[in-house]
Amino acid sequence: MAVDYAVIIVYLAGMLAMGWWGMRRAKSKSEFLVAGRRLGPWMYSGTMAAIVLGGASTIGGVGLGYQYGLSGAWMVFTIGLGLLALSIFFSARIARLKVYTVSEMLDLRYGGRAGLISGVVMWAYTLMLAVTSTIAYATIFDVLFDLNRTVAIILGGAIVVAYSTLGGMWSITLTDMVQFVVKTIGVLLLLLPIAVIKAGGFSEMKAKLPTEYFDPLGIGGETIFTYVLIYTFGMLIGQDIWQRVFTARTDRTARWGGTVAGTYCLVYAIAGAVIGTAAKVMYPKLPSADAAFATIVKDELPVGVRGLVLAAALAAVMSTSSGALIACATVANNDIWSRLRGAVTRSGGEEHDEVKGNRVFILIMGVAVIAIAIALNNVVEALTVAYNLLVGGLLVPILGGLLWRRGTAAGALAAVSVGGLAVIGLMASYGILANEPVYYGLLSSLAAYVIVSLATKPTDAAVLTAWRERLAGRGADSDETPAADPVTV
């Protein structure tokens, strides 16, 4: 294992070194939170793919393949579909807004009265997303070093918090590019073919497994529909995803770079399901489906390759964790704390002075995430709560603001409040993992939005005019205009 350890240690040291480099570069709020809005297509595509494909997509995707066969790809596949929809239909307009958070977009669209409550919901979502990613360190470091769960979470979490706090989005962007390359090599180019070969090839896999393992819809229509509702729509509105859209140098970069990243996700989804199916042939009686990834890596891969593939899994977890962490801190500082103290942060202004504040919030949120991850055991429940709140509370007012002129601030507030409370109440009634909370929560949010919007005075014409100007790429602060930079090409 010495060679494997060396690979992992070099990788982790590299992550910290990039954090230090990013600290020297992030000198303004724009540089720290959205990498100066200067990412070109290649860096944008790589970092976008890195953030959406986390531990759940890698370890969980293989586990679903182990449990359901090829149809286990649907969870990650719907993530890719959501990213494609966001990139093709919405990303150009989002990038032109030149804001920092989803709540700022809602303020622009509805006249400055929807931000705080939406910020609280978005903060809860990003916090739980960061927590679930951090918990996954325990699985990986257990395989690597046989570490205690708490020690593993602290070790992995501390590295992510360190490089995220130092350099903000620049550090996260650079580390995500490395993580994207490591994931591609480790999972797609190494683990996938090795797993299929070790299982005897596709003909042997078909001979040893039931036919439903090769049914594209074997996981069930209702499950697929729920994945679409939660993950596809969740990709459209999450702060962690939008904050990456804000880094694009142009709206064209956001559209086409995101399309490439979404297509990559579809390939990654199929690869994970195939690896899990191969693991089922080799290890038909594992105690847990989620153990499939670690088992096949530990037992079937040669020295060195094993270290690289485990680094790929670590990369997947770190990319999602760091993206969720900076999103959580950005929302906490810009959408909640600044409003509570009566000084709402706007684009522009004394940005240099705000870097320190955002850095402090990343550190605070990072410590909180590690503490919650140590105390929490059920990753699936935490992730379900996060996405249920996000989709049930914020999907309607966000998409409504982008697509329906008649939507009002009162309608948006009603949608967030009714949808969020409905989701919480229904999860208490039906259970956290039930499908009904997000179904009925989303419907109640839609009904509240339409009814209240139609019953209240239309949004002021001046607000809508300013909104259309921003959507067209006009009216943003001049210092937000991206400059040419060789790093971003």
Side-chain angles (χ1 to χ4, degrees):
M1 290 289 289
V3 175
D4 297 326
Y5 291 160
V7 171
I8 299 297
I9 291 170
V10 168
Y11 168 76
L12 295 177
M15 297 299 99
L16 292 174
M18 290 181 185
W20 182 260
W21 187 91
M23 181 180 68
R24 300 175 60 189
R25 190 177 185 88
K27 301 299 184 182
S28 70
K29 178 182 177 182
S30 177
E31 295 282 355
F32 190 82
L33 294 182
V34 291
R37 309 189 195 276
R38 291 192 286 180
L39 297 193
W42 291 110
M43 289 192 76
Y44 180 86
S45 297
T47 58
M48 183 62 87
I51 188 174
V52 300
L53 296 174
S57 300
T58 303
I59 299 171
V62 171
L64 287 172
Y66 182 88
Q67 189 172 0
Y68 298 104
L70 298 185
S71 67
W74 273 107
M75 184 188 77
V76 183
F77 203 83
T78 55
I79 291 173
L81 292 178
L83 186 51
L84 285 172
L86 173 70
S87 302
I88 294 170
F89 299 113
F90 299 108
S91 63
R93 284 184 283 177
I94 293 170
R96 288 195 292 264
L97 290 174
K98 296 292 189 287
V99 295
Y100 292 105
T101 67
V102 174
S103 294
E104 286 183 42
M105 167 264 172
L106 292 173
D107 277 350
L108 283 172
R109 169 59 181 83
Y110 294 112
R113 290 176 290 169
L116 181 58
I117 187 172
S118 64
V120 172
V121 175
M122 188 64 76
W123 174 78
Y125 157 72
T126 53
L127 179 71
M128 296 310 295
L129 185 62
V131 166
T132 57
S133 301
T134 304
I135 291 173
Y137 295 128
T139 301
I140 299 169
F141 281 108
D142 177 57
V143 175
L144 284 172
F145 307 116
D146 194 26
L147 288 179
N148 172 271
R149 178 182 183 274
T150 299
V151 174
I153 289 173
I154 292 174
L155 175 60
I159 292 170
V160 170
V161 171
Y163 73 70
S164 300
T165 302
L166 286 172
M169 187 59 82
W170 268 122
S171 295
I172 293 170
T173 295
L174 294 171
T175 54
D176 277 0
M177 277 305 298
V178 174
Q179 290 158 358
F180 170 74
V181 172
V182 171
K183 278 194 288 192
T184 301
I185 296 173
V187 176
L188 298 184
L189 301 184
L190 292 176
L191 183 57
L192 175 61
I194 290 174
V196 172
I197 292 170
K198 292 282 187 177
F202 284 104
S203 58
E204 188 70 13
M205 290 162 63
K206 287 184 177 180
K208 290 187 175 181
L209 294 174
T211 55
E212 55 263 29
Y213 264 73
F214 301 92
D215 179 0
L217 303 178
I219 199 170
E222 184 179 355
T223 298
I224 295 171
F225 178 74
T226 302
Y227 284 157
V228 170
L229 201 59
I230 294 178
Y231 296 113
T232 301
F233 286 114
M235 288 295 106
L236 299 180
I237 58 175
Q239 169 68 24
D240 52 325
I241 309 301
W242 276 42
Q243 199 156 343
R244 293 310 173 95
V245 176
F246 300 151
T247 66
R249 186 167 54 195
T250 65
D251 54 8
R252 182 179 176 85
T253 296
R255 180 184 292 114
W256 294 110
T259 301
V260 171
T263 304
Y264 178 90
C265 291
L266 303 183
V267 175
Y268 200 88
I270 296 170
V274 171
I275 292 168
T277 304
K280 183 67 175 180
V281 172
M282 291 182 277
Y283 309 99
K285 295 182 179 180
L286 288 178
S288 167
D290 285 340
F293 180 88
T295 303
I296 195 171
V297 169
K298 194 172 185 178
D299 293 349
E300 302 296 336
L301 299 186
V303 172
V305 173
R306 179 171 51 206
L308 184 59
V309 173
L310 286 171
L314 195 59
V317 175
M318 282 187 161
S319 57
T320 300
S321 181
S322 59
L325 177 59
I326 193 172
C328 178
T330 302
V331 171
N333 188 18
N334 292 268
D335 292 338
I336 300 175
W337 173 244
S338 63
R339 295 169 192 267
L340 292 176
R341 67 180 180 175
V344 180
T345 303
R346 300 294 182 186
S347 298
E350 298 296 325
E351 290 198 346
H352 179 78
D353 295 334
E354 295 180 38
V355 172
K356 181 179 179 181
N358 283 292
R359 186 173 278 133
V360 168
F361 265 86
I362 290 179
L363 180 60
I364 294 171
M365 292 297 107
V367 172
V369 163
I370 292 172
I372 296 170
I374 291 171
L376 200 63
N377 287 317
N378 197 314
V379 180
V380 176
E381 288 191 358
L383 194 62
T384 301
V385 169
Y387 273 99
N388 281 356
L389 282 173
L390 178 70
V391 174
L394 290 179
L395 178 67
V396 169
I398 292 172
L399 293 189
L402 289 169
L403 301 173
W404 191 38
R405 177 187 174 91
R406 187 60 180 82
T408 67
L413 288 170
V416 175
S417 303
V418 172
L421 291 174
V423 164
I424 293 171
L426 290 166
M427 282 192 295
S429 175
Y430 284 95
I432 290 176
L433 298 180
N435 293 328
E436 287 83 358
V438 71
Y439 293 168
Y440 299 140
L442 187 56
L443 288 174
S444 62
S445 179
L446 178 60
Y449 182 71
V450 172
I451 292 170
V452 175
S453 291
L454 292 176
T456 52
K457 183 180 177 180
T459 304
D460 187 85
V463 172
L464 289 177
T465 299
W467 166 251
R468 287 194 295 270
E469 287 289 307
R470 292 293 285 268
L471 279 180
R474 300 184 293 270
D477 294 337
S478 59
D479 63 353
E480 291 286 355
T481 303
D485 190 315
V487 177
T488 66
V489 172

